[in-house]
Amino acid sequence: MQIRQLDIRHFRGFRSLSVKPSGHVLLIGQPRAGRSDVVEALTRVLDPDSTRVTLVGDLDFFSRDTSMRAEVEVVLGDLGAELEQRFFDQIEFWDSDSHCLLAPTGPGEQIPGTSEPVVRLCYRAEWQEEEHAADHWVDFPKFSVPETGDFARVSRTNRAALPFERIGSSGNPLRLNPRSAFRNVLSLVEGDDFPETLEAVIEDIRTASDHLTDSSQVQAALLEVFRDVALPLRLGDRPPSDHVSFVPDDGSMASLLRSFSSNVDLGDEVGQLPLSRHGSTTQALIATGEALAATKNGVDLIVVDDFGEGMDAASAGFAAQMLRKSTSQAWVSTRRASVAEGFRASEIVRLTRADDSLRTAFRGTEPTSKAERLAARHTTLQLLPALAARALIIVEGPHDHAAYQALAAKLYEEEGIHPPGAHGVHLIHAGAADSSGGSGAIPRLADAARALGFRVACVIDYDGEDAQTQEELRANLNAADAVVRLPHRVAIERALVSGVPSTTLRNVLVDLNSAFGLSIDVAAATDPDLEKLAVRMLKLSGGLHAQFVQALPFRCSPAIAHQVLEKSLLAAIGRLQGHQQL
């Protein structure tokens, strides 16, 4: 079973959202952009327990506006023979070429050969003003008439038949209490001796509890406690031990099971330790294993929120690949770039949140041209690590990137000027994928970033007035939301040294020359030649741009580079648009 289309209307933080997956779905995006709300929306439709309790608040309605129904509709395809038979009367058809639901056919009309049988389910929540609560249910839209309030509700039995599972990305695995993930796995594997074994263990615990009460020291302590209160409690002459027993929690089966926790021996010569002592990665991996065990017994569709939390990067990436491989369709929400690396570009759904809090979804696409394939290399290297950012500043190459990062850190530490990261802005460069960079390489990266919903500001050098330079400027303006261009004939090196007092500049060059063994005679250079010498030194040994910034004295910052940071940040957060010439 797979979801062919998801439509969310007036639910939680979404006024409207539509997603048509191409296989698996990786939900990424800004904080508070709605990843968890999408996971909850799917759960409301597909989990038979999601509508058992009346909603007592209005938080599930967009902007808390209860005048409209909250709705989540899914189109389920790849049903298989059993589900097709179960939902025979509710079957509709989906065109696999146009990725659309087909209109009902009339008598004698042919169903296109590219279509597949699907069933639609819709979760709805409707506020009842007189009760100050909301009724909610799941129905078949095919036979429901919302305008008249007539709904063909889906039975809990039919929803329970759906091969769906929402799993925790981490937490407390290998628990025996009812409704735990491990108990679910127990119900799926072969064998029938667990109930009998469990009852024997519980009986042993109860017998041991009786022995505890029989302890002479325990009985003596009970006598002391009840000496003065036996009369008002009407205990009579019998000893308190006849009235008191010690059991785990309240003595119920569920409470006893909750008291069990697992010990694990990982073969590191320390023996068995409580699972919680083995660290978050071990717990998260075992929790993932529990989820994967469920997929081997008929669960086709898995939804998981914040996948990879608590894991190291390598484990998170591998666990995501296992989950993707083991399910017909996985909807995975994550904040971890390592998780995203295991998914195809077309499976990425990036959620964004505008300043007015409206949420939007952007879909990744598979590259089809050479330029797109080159840009796609940046997705893993730079865009995925920035997946939680609201906007990007793209500079030409690694030297620019190192210099501006160092300058941003210096300005914050010394002057309290907040760096781009404080505004949700990530700094990347166009030379990461192919080591070339330059203003001509920025547009394809900017196009890829904007396709995923990032706002983009570019920073480029002003190399002259020739036709190629002008064409590169136009290409950058077409690809980005704003372009900040340095002054005429100024690249990153001159932006770092221009305006720095000659005495300061000479001292910095002496320090760099000594630290990196450059064998440059700084003392022989005249003050007018210092800037040229500094530009040449910055380019040596693979670039000393960040080191130059770090060597500047307290509260001394290069004016042009500082202005670039200021302008590009304003452009990234939407306060400046178009061409910004310095």
Side-chain angles (χ1 to χ4, degrees), residues 92-106:
E92 299 178 81
F93 290 91
W94 178 266
D95 191 318
S96 301
D97 285 346
S98 62
H99 302 289
C100 289
L101 195 70
L102 294 174
T105 57

Side-chain angles (χ1 to χ4, degrees), residues 165 173-175 177 179-186 287 290-291 294:
E165 186 79 24
L174 301 184
R175 301 295 291 185
N177 49 292
R179 306 181 64 80
S180 68
F182 187 63
R183 284 293 291 272
N184 180 42
V185 175
L186 276 171
E290 287 182 334

Side-chain angles (χ1 to χ4, degrees), residues 191-269:
D192 58 5
D193 63 344
F194 174 70
E196 181 180 341
T197 304
L198 181 60
E199 185 59 42
V201 171
I202 298 302
E203 186 57 35
D204 288 343
I205 291 175
R206 289 170 178 156
T207 300
S209 297
D210 291 339
H211 292 323
L212 178 66
T213 310
D214 291 338
S215 162
S216 60
Q217 190 172 359
V218 170
Q219 292 194 35
L222 289 173
L223 281 172
E224 290 299 319
V225 170
F226 285 89
R227 183 183 306 280
D228 295 323
V229 296
L231 181 61
L233 289 175
R234 300 181 181 179
L235 295 182
D237 296 329
R238 288 180 299 164
S241 56
D242 286 357
H243 302 279
V244 177
S245 63
F246 293 92
V247 295
D249 203 358
D250 61 5
S252 68
M253 177 75 77
S255 295
L256 290 171
L257 290 176
R258 280 195 295 270
S259 69
F260 284 102
S261 61
S262 56
N263 285 359
V264 178
D265 182 355
L266 295 180
D268 47 10
E269 299 184 357

